[in-house]
Amino acid sequence: MRALPPLGPYDGLLAWHSLFHLSPDDQRAAIAGFAPLAKPGAPLLFTSGPEAGEVIGTMNGEPLYHASLDPDEYRAVLAAAGFDVLRHVPEDPESGGATVWLARRRPAA
């Protein structure tokens, strides 16, 4: 996600339980890099933490890095990359407590 090769464009993008393993700066860059991968009108679905911060959790006894931007910053970064937020569900109980984002790449002008 830090250096995606020239792929796509695709009808939709999914970054489920992955984007938040990048540093905040790398997340900003990754979201900007999603724009050329998405066809106009394509959805982008991803998860984040509920608020800005960095934590080290564990998985299978190993440390696991998590970071999130502030929700307002996600909105700004998505807008700058040409995505409109359609839905944002903080700590969605139907998704195991993940904060879920659904955005759409703006149609071509």
Side-chain angles (χ1 to χ4, degrees):
M1 294 177 83
R2 287 184 185 99
L4 293 169
L7 302 168
Y10 293 103
D11 293 325
L13 303 175
L14 177 64
W16 196 262
H17 290 335
S18 56
L19 190 64
F20 56 57
H21 294 297
L22 300 176
S23 72
D25 284 343
D26 285 342
Q27 287 186 47
R28 292 178 192 101
I31 290 169
F34 290 159
L37 300 178
K39 290 180 181 177
L44 165 62
L45 183 64
F46 71 97
T47 53
S48 74
E51 59 191 30
E54 296 176 88
V55 298
I56 303 292
T58 59
M59 183 171 185
N60 299 325
E62 296 293 325
L64 186 60
Y65 175 83
H66 295 82
S68 284
L69 308 177
D70 178 82
D72 288 337
E73 186 174 3
Y74 277 118
R75 288 180 191 282
V77 171
L78 286 161
F83 289 92
D84 295 317
V85 174
L86 301 178
R87 187 128 190 244
H88 169 232
V89 183
E91 301 177 294
D92 181 23
E94 292 183 28
S95 298
T99 294
V100 179
W101 293 85
L102 176 62
R104 180 177 52 215
R105 181 80 164 104
R106 283 189 207 110

